[in-house]
Amino acid sequence: MTPVAVPKLYKGQDARAALRLTHSALLQANARLSASAGWYDSVRHDYAVGALPQ
């Protein structure tokens, strides 16, 4: 659940390169959010069925 680093963009940078960096960061962030949601769903399920860690 660590945050994704914001891409370093600079003035005069090729817009396509900046878009690729931004797109990659967003894909990585979305993947982490999906993984976090899956983890949380499993915690909720385990709690519901009483399978808490000892």
Side-chain angles (χ1 to χ4, degrees), residues 19-43:
L19 182 59
R20 277 194 305 273
L21 290 173
T22 304
H23 181 71
S24 296
L26 289 174
L27 286 176
Q28 189 177 26
N30 284 336
R32 289 182 188 186
L33 287 171
S34 294
S36 296
W39 170 82
Y40 187 68
D41 283 343
S42 70
V43 169

